[in-house]
Amino acid sequence: MTSAPEARAITSPANPEIKRIRGLALRKRREEEKLFVAEGLRHVMEALEAGWPVATLVYQAGVAKRPKVAEAIRATLAAGGRCLEVTEAVLAKMTKRDNPQTVVGVLPQRWQALDEIAPGKLWIALETVRDPGNLGTILRTADAVAADGVILIGETCDPYSSESVRASMGSIVRVPLVRVTARQFLDWRETWPGRVVGTHLAGDADYREVAYEPPVLLIMGNEQAGLSEAMAAACDRLVKIPMAGGADSLNLSVATAVMLFEIARERLHL
Ligand code: SAM
């Protein structure tokens, strides 16, 4: 097995460092260690380009000389991170995939504080979002319209879970994240200088008829329960997306995408 000079080659999935990374599959461990796992060279490079340090870079034996991998190794070591060269079997065990990516990054989680939020143009607040696939997809769409960030209200799924990170397709490193209780959010909302728009199946306005002057704060409800009464009462407008067929609602990430592209339409000429 060839090794980069600074790397330590690992062949056993029982190696303590590999076990520690595998442990990050659990939310509890991710929160204790304030870390998450990004799979694939593309996502690792995107993180590095976004100024996000890689704490540990794991790569498959034999790929270290590829130019992009060599660049990722250099950047990781320069920022004080570690590099681990491993076998394909170790990577497969670590990521629970038969055909694992050849590069995996362990990165620090980043959370912005509520009082650090600058209104900017567009923030999205998600009340008790439960599905990590929805959350990752929303992060990807928020990135696509250059939203300023996403606020997670109450008991939500973890944006740093592997499912959410995968669904975000790299956007997780470009979209600022804030997490708050409902009480903290409702207090902070009083200081919001612009319009607060909620989406609701019983909204009194068609979403296409509202002027979305920036800064806009868009609030989306939970997958099952929708917007709580307290959140709905905190909105200046409650809008609905008209539907013609038999479906009683849209999927949360689909509804968020419809809203974001409507809000961004004039501003971004999309
Ligand atoms: N049973 C829930 C309800 O009564 O609201 C359905 C929730 S829906 C799956 C999840 C979220 O997506 C909603 O809270 C809302 O924010 C948004 N949403 C979905 N379809 C919508 C529509 N047609 N109009 C407005 N918002 C919608």
Side-chain angles (χ1 to χ4, degrees):
M1 186 161 57
T2 55
S3 296
E6 302 84 352
R8 298 169 43 193
I10 293 173
T11 56
S12 166
N15 173 285
E17 294 195 66
I18 298 302
K19 277 173 80 175
R20 187 169 154 243
I21 296 172
R22 280 167 58 197
L24 296 175
L26 297 176
R27 181 176 192 165
K28 185 170 173 293
R29 298 298 300 278
R30 287 194 297 276
E31 294 198 340
E32 283 165 2
E33 303 227 25
K34 300 182 175 58
L35 294 170
F36 73 103
V37 174
E39 292 174 33
L41 180 61
R42 185 188 137 195
H43 292 169
V44 168
M45 293 307 293
E46 282 180 326
L48 290 167
E49 279 157 23
W52 203 300
V54 175
T56 307
L57 186 77
V58 186
Y59 59 90
Q60 192 176 315
V63 304
K65 290 201 170 65
R66 293 183 192 166
K68 285 281 178 194
V69 181
E71 198 182 321
I73 291 172
R74 265 197 308 276
T76 301
L77 294 173
R82 293 177 311 157
C83 293
L84 306 176
E85 185 175 275
V86 303
T87 58
E88 186 182 359
V90 169
L91 270 171
K93 190 91 176 172
M94 211 172 81
T95 56
K96 298 197 179 94
R97 284 180 181 249
D98 290 338
N99 296 305
Q101 298 274 356
T102 54
V103 173
V104 166
V106 179
L107 314 177
Q109 296 189 8
R110 278 188 182 168
W111 295 96
Q112 191 172 324
L114 198 58
D115 59 12
E116 287 168 8
I117 289 182
K121 291 184 173 156
L122 171 59
W123 276 84
I124 304 144
L126 305 175
E127 187 176 21
T128 60
V129 52
R130 288 295 155 84
D131 182 319
N134 276 343
L135 179 49
T137 304
I138 290 170
L139 294 175
R140 186 178 179 181
T141 313
D143 187 18
V145 299
D148 295 293
V150 171
I151 302 170
L152 303 177
I153 307 169
E155 294 287 315
T156 70
C157 60
D158 182 7
Y160 291 111
S161 69
S162 61
E163 198 180 345
S164 166
V165 171
R166 278 175 201 160
S168 85
M169 290 297 289
S171 294
I172 185 99
V173 298
R174 286 186 291 271
V175 181
L177 285 168
V178 177
R179 60 179 161 185
V180 287
T181 64
R183 186 66 265 154
Q184 288 167 331
F185 178 81
L186 290 169
D187 290 345
W188 171 82
R189 178 263 171 272
E190 296 301 320
T191 67
W192 180 258
R195 186 163 265 195
V196 180
V197 179
T199 51
H200 203 292
L201 298 178
D204 56 6
D206 183 314
Y207 78 110
R208 295 163 294 191
E209 288 162 4
V210 169
Y212 299 101
E213 283 299 315
V216 173
L217 175 58
L218 172 70
I219 311 185
M220 305 297 300
N222 165 266
E223 288 95 334
Q224 275 79 44
L227 266 192
S228 67
E229 280 183 28
M231 286 302 151
C235 296
D236 299 316
R237 297 300 302 263
L238 285 180
V239 301
K240 66 171 177 251
I241 304 165
M243 297 177 294
D248 62 4
S249 67
L250 295 171
N251 162 279
L252 170 62
S253 60
V254 172
T256 308
V258 170
M259 288 301 302
L260 290 181
F261 275 86
E262 179 63 19
I263 294 169
R265 194 164 50 91
E266 285 179 30
R267 178 159 58 86
L268 299 178
H269 306 291
L270 293 174

